[in-house]
Amino acid sequence: PEIEECVERLSGSGLPRWEDLIALLSLEDEEELQPLFLAADTRRKEVMGEVVHLRGIVEFSNYCERNCLYCGLRQANRQLQRYRMTDREILDAALTVQEAKVATLVLQSGEDSFYDTMKLCRLIEKIKGETGLVITLSMGERPREDYEAFREAGADRYLLKHETAVPALYRRLHPDSRRENRLMCLKWLKELGYETGTGCMVGLPGQDSAALAEDILLISSLKADMAGVGPFLPHPQTPLASCTAGTVLTTLVVLALVRLTCPAIHLPATTALSVLHPEGRMKALAAGANVVMPDFTPPAYRRLYDLYPGRTSVPQDPLSTLRTLESELNRCGRTLLI
Ligand code: SAM
Ligand code: SF4
């Protein structure tokens, strides 16, 4: 089918057509894809405006009890030096986020039961009380009661990527967790009134265009408020060390398709994309993305939050990230929301 026609149909209301998604996901020529990126950028402008939203992320523990095949934090990676931030350190990092005039804090970690329900609730209450920040949590699968307690303590949002929508691929990548449970968690989070984020990796081994089309349809059917879409990057200390990374182009295509099929969703330009390409962030912001997540983890810990290689090669000092971003955005007529 004609590319322009596919883009036009996907930009309309109604359920996205499978054939259109596949046709666009199968293209590999950047020039040919321009109508898609342009349509996504236009839609982003119409629905979300010119502001770029900021989320300050604090990665408070790199301990994890899981063994997701792709992730450098997996428990079986014995070469990684582990850390846990104290309550004081986490609160100080939150105060730095507040001082930088970033309105939302994202607290992320591996699945680490050291931080039990009580400990986390006290921490959330304290951060909320002292900073008034919007609090997003991203710490994996927990029982419904935990999500409920965190919500009562003051958490507003939760990020739990579905990672891949394809059951067989999900099983292969997650020896110790089940897709059904992850989707159940997402359902609980919505029921409890969290603004809920999901998302996927792009370029996972064995993930074809049909698999990515499934991801886009799942994000749409979950009615997610946010979707994290970034390339898969092989980590040397994981079983996927020798696999090929996802590409910038395919990641941008998925971002653009998510923008067209879920016009009001929040879409971050991910750090993983900046690792693949020095202009990854601006490319994402021109293909549908409207969120940036500067990293406020103290530098000594940041380098140990080693999900995928190359993170340290990206300049990550949050204040310089904000300054660069501001000048990049000014050049294209967009502004930071502060
Ligand atoms: N433990 C929580 C969880 O899994 O939801 C939150 C932290 S986890 C490190 C955050 C995200 O990192 C995951 O959702 C996954 O998509 C991403 N990630 C992990 N390893 C990756 C890799 N090798 N390449 C790209 N993204 C990766
Ligand atoms: Fe743990 Fe999350 Fe990494 Fe899986 S993706 S190993 S749950 S930190």
Side-chain angles (χ1 to χ4, degrees):
E2 284 296 315
I3 296 163
E4 279 83 359
E5 287 171 21
C6 295
V7 171
E8 198 165 315
R9 272 195 299 271
L10 288 170
S11 307
S13 53
L15 287 180
R17 278 184 48 191
W18 179 259
E19 298 76 18
D20 293 334
L21 293 175
I22 297 291
L24 293 167
L25 284 162
S26 311
L27 290 177
E28 285 177 12
D29 182 316
E30 193 163 353
E31 277 310 304
E32 276 189 286
L33 283 161
Q34 290 311 314
L36 170 65
F37 298 143
L38 188 63
D41 196 40
T42 306
R43 201 82 178 108
R44 184 270 311 153
K45 199 181 301 181
E46 287 165 2
V47 182
M48 309 304 277
E50 296 288 25
V51 289
V52 170
H53 297 254
L54 294 171
R55 319 281 187 235
I57 184 160
V58 175
E59 296 142 341
F60 65 94
S61 160
N62 71 349
Y63 279 83
C64 189
E65 287 145 27
R66 291 250 155 114
N67 274 298
C68 307
L69 258 58
Y70 40 82
C71 180
L73 303 192
R74 65 202 305 271
Q75 189 180 41
N77 180 9
R78 307 277 176 220
Q79 295 178 57
L80 180 65
Q81 185 190 331
R82 305 282 172 165
Y83 71 88
R84 287 185 177 116
M85 285 170 65
T86 63
D87 288 4
R88 185 68 245 172
E89 287 173 317
I90 300 173
L91 183 61
D92 284 345
L95 288 165
T96 319
V97 170
Q98 187 196 29
E99 280 158 22
K101 303 211 167 25
V102 172
T104 301
L105 170 72
V106 180
L107 288 175
Q108 194 181 77
S109 68
E111 292 205 8
D112 183 4
S113 54
F114 169 84
Y115 297 89
D116 61 25
T117 320
M118 279 288 283
K119 192 169 166 54
L120 284 165
C121 284
R122 278 199 305 267
L123 184 66
I124 293 164
E125 277 163 15
K126 196 153 177 58
I127 295 175
K128 196 73 174 185
E130 292 201 17
T131 67
L133 290 165
V134 175
I135 299 180
T136 305
L137 304 177
S138 173
M139 38 206 204
E141 295 168 40
R142 294 254 176 178
R144 192 184 199 277
E145 302 76 66
D146 282 17
Y147 292 148
E148 193 168 2
F150 302 154
R151 182 91 182 102
E152 275 162 22
D156 306 279
R157 305 179 181 151
Y158 206 102
L159 305 182
L160 189 73
K161 287 162 73 172
H162 70 267
E163 315 293 2
T164 171
V166 175
L169 184 54
Y170 192 95
R171 249 193 320 276
R172 231 179 302 143
L173 296 172
H174 302 99
D176 42 22
S177 61
R178 289 171 55 243
R179 179 178 178 275
E180 291 71 26
N181 193 59
R182 205 146 179 105
L183 296 179
M184 183 59 84
C185 287
L186 284 164
K187 181 167 166 273
W188 290 335
L189 291 164
K190 286 221 101 175
E191 285 169 4
L192 292 165
Y194 281 93
E195 281 183 44
T196 306
T198 189
C200 61
M201 279 171 282
V202 175
L204 288 163
Q207 188 186 41
D208 55 11
S209 299
L212 291 170
E214 296 280 5
D215 284 320
I216 294 161
L217 293 176
L218 182 59
I219 293 169
S220 155
S221 71
L222 286 171
K223 303 205 183 332
D225 300 290
M226 186 276 210
V229 174
F232 156 70
L233 299 169
H235 187 293
Q237 286 142 23
T238 65
L240 303 185
S242 61
C243 295
T244 331
T247 66
V248 177
L249 194 64
T250 312
T251 307
L252 294 174
V253 170
V254 177
L255 278 173
L257 289 171
V258 173
R259 172 59 66 211
L260 291 186
T261 51
C262 315
I265 203 166
H266 282 295
L267 272 182
T270 56
T271 308
L273 198 59
S274 303
V275 168
L276 270 187
H277 195 288
E279 274 145 43
R281 187 171 61 210
M282 288 314 285
K283 283 175 178 282
L285 290 172
N290 70 320
V291 176
V292 172
M293 300 172 69
D295 194 336
F296 284 80
T297 311
Y301 297 134
R302 197 184 299 153
R303 64 181 183 81
L304 298 175
Y305 200 75
D306 183 25
L307 319 179
Y308 46 75
R311 274 170 51 94
T312 42
S313 68
V314 180
Q316 283 197 329
D317 167 58
L319 299 180
S320 63
T321 302
L322 289 180
R323 271 195 304 275
T324 323
L325 184 63
E326 201 151 27
S327 64
E328 285 170 343
L329 289 177
N330 283 343
R331 262 181 271 138
C332 55
R334 290 167 80 176
T335 47
L336 281 181
L337 185 75
I338 44 174

